[in-house]
């Protein structure tokens, strides 16, 4: 059985940044396991720009952003095992892999989970009608267009105004398709505000909020969809149905962290993030197993994925040097208008950067951080569920606290 | 193209495929004519996959006879063909006295049909077998000989074995005309092909009446009853371990809750009379299925649905199977509704006996009944997997991550009988695309393999034949 100090599962932006950070913190005996032919993860097919604004103060395309980290990894001689799938992970860090050389197991001292996420499929939505050709998740359509150069269709309806749906609305239009509309079941889009402007408004593509697709029609290929308005309970309102002729439907209806291996290792998932529970170092309930990136919670900006991965990489390195230890934690709590806070627990005596998402969007917001009887507030011009927020809590503020509660309220 | 055969089987569903296999056990040349672009295109891929115990069919009917015979044959047939068959047992649950009385009727019927082992269970006994039985369940009929099988897996394997033994398969052959000849029939396809056979077997499912009319007249009518289903993630696959039924009504056996042979949870079907063939799922179907299912089994994690689908069941106006000679040289196997899948091995044997007797055919001593399981690779222990991968590295490359399907298996699906030439063809044979991401990850890879294997252009690859093209507009 192969032995490695550190195994990183996933060679996307999270895995690569974690590897570089672990190396720079002293780890040498490591391997990054990547299932595709080339590392870079989903960024390989995200050829639009807007990546790296926060981190590099440049507007890069996905492949450019990934290449930065790949260059850093290659410069350090970090081993990246491509075309290799991880088929099993145990709680005692045995990583079973499969590639064209065979099935083998690596005994790791530390593991970083960086498997990213998958798209929620149309089948999970219970949409009535037939199942013809022409139905794609937005990411799959993106792969056909950007990697293989194939146009999935010419007349498109998109369900879901998350970033992938918005980006594909523009992408398909640029390649000559007609995007009839984007339907969004919520009262607001979950995508970045700049994407609404740059992908829909700039191209005259209508966005129908509080709408969904209730039926798909077509025998061999999609012929039309029936859309309808929904009520507050997200149920279609009778009489608002409208049929739209099209040959393609793209579904951008949510991302789900890819935690099959995580579950195999015996780790339980936080139902709010769909990823595992971690502390400020991104260490899970099993000491020596860390998680970062979209597998932990779905990010909007890859810049924060890299930052999070570096925390995990450094922490894994420290774990390998220091070994297991006892720590005192306080839980983080989601208060008013907050759907989740990550990490779910903070270490006593250490600063912690908390990431969170708000439940509803509004302008003029106050973020309240309560630690014991102390309250600190921070202003934000606007908050939205689709834009992850963060605040840093100092160690000193934790001294007399039992937990850290984050709420977001309207400015008085 | 014109060719002469001893037997032409019209319909490449589970009946036609098993019939072709049985026919090849005799020295008879056989061809299967399938209108769609792949086998199992109709009800055979869109049903409950249940091997019924046999207490439901009315005694004295062909349904009852062939149900019991077929159930007894299924284990052997599946073993020979490498298809998973699990005898997980059936439970028909009752809510209150009226339904409990109906259980007694089923029990008596079962005995008369020659079914082994059914017994009535109290609520406590039901809960021991199924801890999730719903609150309203007061008793159940337990039939230990009920089972589950993959219906399209069985169809594909039977056809493959028939072809390995010399049967021909012509897809895209939609019979639109027939002419009586001196010694048999000439059959015309809508694309211009012709085939001549001494005997024609009509197992055309929803099209059986139409085909019978072409072949000298139909003594039966075919009606259509659509069944809609919801399929849940494998994480829900152990919610029940038996196949749980409600008490049957005139419209059919009703909604059931069952594990599938591959480990998913299947809920459905509904029962909708159709004038026109349709495989659409109606908008109210989801609530109908959920409500009915939850009255039998509590806490079904319906939120773990990964897909829904519908199939058309062809039934005859006799409300029984039609298994008989029609015009000279024509044998009908029509109206094969539930328990059709269960009965299929026995019906196939009956067809072969009738046809071989009529043609005075000898046994085919070279017939090999065994076909390797389509999922042989994933069942191997690691050392044996490595031996295979060392010889053929394609088996080391995972393409479908949800179901862990390797490139080697996908290539096999495109190269073994009956070859997959479409996205769905690869899916039905390998399960690539049947997992929780529903081909979101693997579709472009399978698409590329189809292009490569068959030298197709991007705009030629289809989801399931015909005009179900996946890409519009080639090179960007």
């Amino acid at each position: 059985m192969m032995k490695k100090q550190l195994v990183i599962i996933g060679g996307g932006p999270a895995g690569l940044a974690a590897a570089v950070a672990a190396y720079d913190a002293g780890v040498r005996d490591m391997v990054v396991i990547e299932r595709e032919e080339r590392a870079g993860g989903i960024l390989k097919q995200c050829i639009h720009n807007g990546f790296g604004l926060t981190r590099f103060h440049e507007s890069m395309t996905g492949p450019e952003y990934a290449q930065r980290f790949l260059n850093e990894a290659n410069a350090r001689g970090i081993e990246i095992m491509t075309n290799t799938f991880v088929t099993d992970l145990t709680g005692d860090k045995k990583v079973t892999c499969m590639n064209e050389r065979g099935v083998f197991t690596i005994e790791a001292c530390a593991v970083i989970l960086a498997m990213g996420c998958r798209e929620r499929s149309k089948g999970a939505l219970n949409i009535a009608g037939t199942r013809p050709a022409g139905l794609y998740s937005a990411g799959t359509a993106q792969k056909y267009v950007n990697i293989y150069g194939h146009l999935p269709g010419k007349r498109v309806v998109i369900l879901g105004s998350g970033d992938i749906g918005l980006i594909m609305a523009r992408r398909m239009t640029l390649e000559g398709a007609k995007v009839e509309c984007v339907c969004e079941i919520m009262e607001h889009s979950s995508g970045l505000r700049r994407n609404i402007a740059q992908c829909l408004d700039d191209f005259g593509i209508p966005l129908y909020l509080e709408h969904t697709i209730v039926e798909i029609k077509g025998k061999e290929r999609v012929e039309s969809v029936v859309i309808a308005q929904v009520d507050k309970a997200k149920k279609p309102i009778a009489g608002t149905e409208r049929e739209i002729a099209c040959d393609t439907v793209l579904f951008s209806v949510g991302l789900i962290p890819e935690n099959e291996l995580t579950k195999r290792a015996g780790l339980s998932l936080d139902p709010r993030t769909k990823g595992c529970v971690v502390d400020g170092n991104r260490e899970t309930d099993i000491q020596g197993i860390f998680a970062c990136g979209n597998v932990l919670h779905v990010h909007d900006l890859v810049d924060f994925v890299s930052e999070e991965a570096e925390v995990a990489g450094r922490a894994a390195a420290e774990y390998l040097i220091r070994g297991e230890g006892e720590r005192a934690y306080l839980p983080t709590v989601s208060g008013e208008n907050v759907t989740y806070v990550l990490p779910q627990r903070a270490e006593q005596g250490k600063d912690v950067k908390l990431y969170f998402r708000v439940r509803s969007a509004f302008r003029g917001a106050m973020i309240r951080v309560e630690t014991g009887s102390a309250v600190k507030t921070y202003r934000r011009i606007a908050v939205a569920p689709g834009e992850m927020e963060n605040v840093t809590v100092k160690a000193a503020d934790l001294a007399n606290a039992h937990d850290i509660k984050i709420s977001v309220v309207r400015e008085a | 193209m014109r060719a002469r055969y001893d037997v032409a089987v019209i319909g490449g569903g589970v009946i036609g495929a098993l019939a072709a296999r049985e026919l090849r056990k005799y020295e008879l040349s056989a061809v299967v004519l399938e209108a769609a672009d792949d086998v199992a295109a109709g009800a055979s891929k869109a049903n409950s996959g249940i091997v019924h115990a046999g207490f439901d069919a009315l005694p004295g009917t062909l349904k009852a006879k062939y149900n019991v015979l077929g159930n007894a044959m299924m284990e052997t047939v599946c073993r020979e063909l490498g298809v998973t068959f699990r005898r997980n047992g059936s439970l028909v649950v009752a809510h209150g006295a009226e339904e409990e009385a109906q259980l007694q009727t089923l029990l008596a019927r079962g005995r008369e049909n020659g079914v082994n082992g059914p017994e009535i269970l109290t609520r406590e006994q039901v809960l021991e077998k199924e801890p999730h039985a719903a609150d309203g369940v007061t008793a159940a009929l337990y039939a230990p000989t009920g089972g589950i099988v993959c219906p399209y897996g069985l169809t594909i394997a039977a056809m493959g074995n028939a072809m390995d033994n010399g049967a021909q398969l012509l897809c895209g052959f939609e019979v639109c005309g027939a002419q009586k000849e001196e010694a048999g029939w000439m059959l015309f396809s809508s694309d211009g092909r012709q085939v001549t056979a001494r005997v024609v077997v009509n197992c055309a499912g929803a099209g059986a009446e139409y085909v019978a009319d072409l072949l000298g007249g139909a003594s039966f009518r075919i009606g259509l009853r659509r069944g809609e289903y919801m399929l849940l993630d494998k994480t829900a696959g152990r919610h029940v371990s038996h196949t749980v039924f409600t008490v049957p009504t005139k419209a059919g056996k009703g909604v059931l809750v069952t594990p599938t042979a591959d480990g998913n949870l299947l809920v459905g079907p509904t029962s909708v009379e159709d004038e026109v063939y349709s495989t659409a799922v109606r908008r109210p179907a989801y609530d109908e299925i959920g409500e009915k299912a939850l009255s039998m089994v509590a806490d079904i994690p319906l939120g773990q649905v990964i897909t829904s689908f519908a199939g058309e069941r062809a039934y005859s106006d006799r409300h029984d199977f039609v298994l008989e000679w029609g015009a000279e040289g024509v044998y009908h196997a029509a109206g094969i509704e539930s328990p059709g899948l269960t009965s299929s091995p026995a019906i196939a044997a009956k067809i072969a006996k009738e046809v071989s007797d009529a043609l005075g055919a000898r046994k085919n001593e070279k017939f090999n009944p065994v076909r390797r399981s389509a999922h042989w690779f994933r069942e191997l222990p690691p050392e044996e997997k490595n031996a295979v991968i060392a010889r053929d590295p394609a088996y080391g490359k995972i393409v479908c991550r949800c179901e862990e399907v390797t490139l080697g298996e996908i290539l096999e699906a495109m190269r073994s009988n009956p070859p997959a030439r479409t996205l769905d063809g690869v899916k039905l044979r390998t399960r690539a695309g049947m997992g929780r991401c529903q081909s979101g990850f693997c579709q472009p890879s399978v698409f590329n393999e189809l292009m490569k294997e068959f030298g197709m252009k991007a705009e030629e690859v289809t989801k399931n034949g015909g005009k179900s093209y996946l890409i519009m507009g080639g090179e960007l």
Side-chain angles (χ1 to χ4, degrees), chain A residues 31 65 302 330 368 374:
Chain A
V31 64
Y65 189 96
V302 72
L330 342 122
R368 285 173 58 91

Side-chain angles (χ1 to χ4, degrees), chain B residues 34-349:
Chain B
E34 168 53 53
D37 286 300
D38 199 359
V39 299
S44 295
K45 74 172 160 114
N47 62 73
S48 314
I50 309 299
V51 178
H52 295 283
F55 48 77
D56 184 77
L58 290 170
T61 59
L62 295 172
K63 283 182 180 178
K65 173 179 174 189
Y66 286 95
N67 184 149
V68 176
L69 285 173
N71 181 304
M73 294 170 73
M74 194 60 83
E75 200 166 328
T76 303
V77 170
C78 286
R79 195 177 351 106
E80 290 172 344
L81 292 174
V83 175
T84 306
F85 166 63
R86 285 204 279 133
R87 212 177 277 285
N88 64 323
S90 306
L91 280 173
V92 183
V93 297
H95 307 76
E98 207 178 304
E99 289 194 348
E100 287 180 37
Q102 289 179 271
L103 292 186
Q104 292 292 341
T105 310
L106 293 175
L107 186 66
R109 235 189 252 171
R111 291 216 179 96
E112 213 183 318
N113 288 337
V115 181
N116 284 324
E119 48 173 317
I120 305 283
L121 303 181
T122 62
R123 179 179 165 77
E124 291 66 45
Q125 289 172 315
V126 173
L127 284 169
E128 265 173 51
K129 286 202 183 313
E130 291 298 347
H132 286 117
D135 285 344
V137 170
T138 54
L141 171 72
Y142 168 57
T145 56
I148 50 179
V149 71
C150 178
Y152 46 85
L154 177 59
T155 307
I156 288 163
M159 184 68 72
N161 182 237
M163 292 167 77
D164 289 344
N165 279 291
Q168 296 293 304
L169 168 66
L170 296 178
C171 286
F173 195 115
E174 192 181 343
V175 176
C176 61
Q179 194 173 287
K180 185 86 184 69
E181 293 215 311
E182 176 70 41
W185 289 86
M186 191 185 304
L187 301 168
F188 302 93
S189 165
S190 50
D191 66 355
R193 285 180 284 175
Q194 287 171 325
V195 148
T196 311
R198 295 161 69 198
V199 166
V200 180
V201 180
N202 172 16
C203 27
E209 187 188 332
Y210 169 78
V211 166
D213 279 334
L214 293 175
L215 292 164
S219 63
F220 55 88
R221 297 176 92 78
I222 293 292
L224 299 174
R225 209 177 284 130
R226 195 179 353 157
E228 300 149 312
Y229 294 88
M230 291 169 70
L231 186 72
L232 276 51
D233 195 312
K234 286 179 175 179
T235 48
R238 285 188 216 268
H239 193 73
V240 294
S241 52
H242 301 81
T243 299
V244 183
F245 297 83
T246 42
V247 170
T249 66
K250 273 206 166 50
K253 294 186 177 64
V255 167
L256 46 85
V257 181
T258 182
T260 66
D262 293 296
N264 292 88
L265 194 76
L266 184 64
V267 192
T270 52
S271 183
V272 183
E273 279 294 325
D274 275 337
E275 288 295 320
V276 175
Y277 189 96
S278 168
T279 55
V281 176
R282 298 162 306 126
R283 282 185 234 175
Y286 300 98
D287 285 340
E288 283 172 19
I289 293 169
E291 210 178 289
K292 202 73 222 256
L294 289 169
S295 75
M296 304 147 60
V297 177
D299 303 324
I300 302 172
L302 292 168
Q304 288 177 38
V305 61
I306 58 175
T307 192
S308 48
F309 60 91
E312 279 291 18
R313 291 157 294 193
Y315 66 91
S316 81
D317 54 349
R318 300 179 197 175
H319 300 289
D320 195 5
F321 298 153
V322 175
L323 291 173
E324 63 195 31
W325 290 97
E328 196 188 333
V330 180
Y331 191 85
H332 299 291
I336 312 297
E337 52 163 337
S338 185
L341 175 67
T342 311
S343 307
S344 60
I347 292 174

Side-chain angles (χ1 to χ4, degrees), chain B residues 351-374:
Chain B
I351 291 171
K353 176 106 190 22
E354 289 290 330
V355 173
S356 62
D357 279 353
L359 295 177
R362 286 196 310 262
K363 281 256 157 78
N364 174 6
E365 303 302 334
K366 290 196 249 141
F367 182 81
N368 178 5
V370 174
R371 182 186 194 258
R372 185 172 64 173
S373 162

Side-chain angles (χ1 to χ4, degrees), chain A residues 133-201:
Chain A
L135 306 174
Y136 300 94
S137 60
T140 308
Q142 189 181 52
K143 189 158 195 181
Y144 272 121
V145 176
N146 294 344
I147 302 288
Y148 297 112
H150 301 314
L151 188 65
K154 298 237 165 100
R155 238 181 132 179
V156 188
V157 169
I158 299 180
L159 180 62
S161 66
D163 290 317
I164 309 172
L166 299 176
I167 290 293
M168 282 313 291
R170 179 175 65 187
R171 192 76 192 91
M172 296 293 284
T173 305
L174 289 173
E175 289 302 341
K178 173 101 182 26
V179 178
E180 300 291 347
C181 63
V182 175
C183 291
E184 168 58 54
I185 200 168
M186 303 297 278
E187 313 88 59
H188 50 72
S189 165
S190 57
L192 298 169
R193 279 163 285 154
R194 67 162 187 259
N195 282 337
I196 307 273
Q198 294 169 11
C199 299
L200 299 187
D201 299 341

Side-chain angles (χ1 to χ4, degrees), chain A residues 103 129 131 136 140 144 221, chain B residues 279 281 386 440 443 469-470 472:
Chain A
V103 181
R131 296 155 302 288
Y136 300 94
T140 308
Y144 272 121
R221 176 87 196 197
Chain B
T279 55
V281 176
N386 283 334
Q443 196 196 118
Y469 303 113
L470 291 161
M472 293 184 162

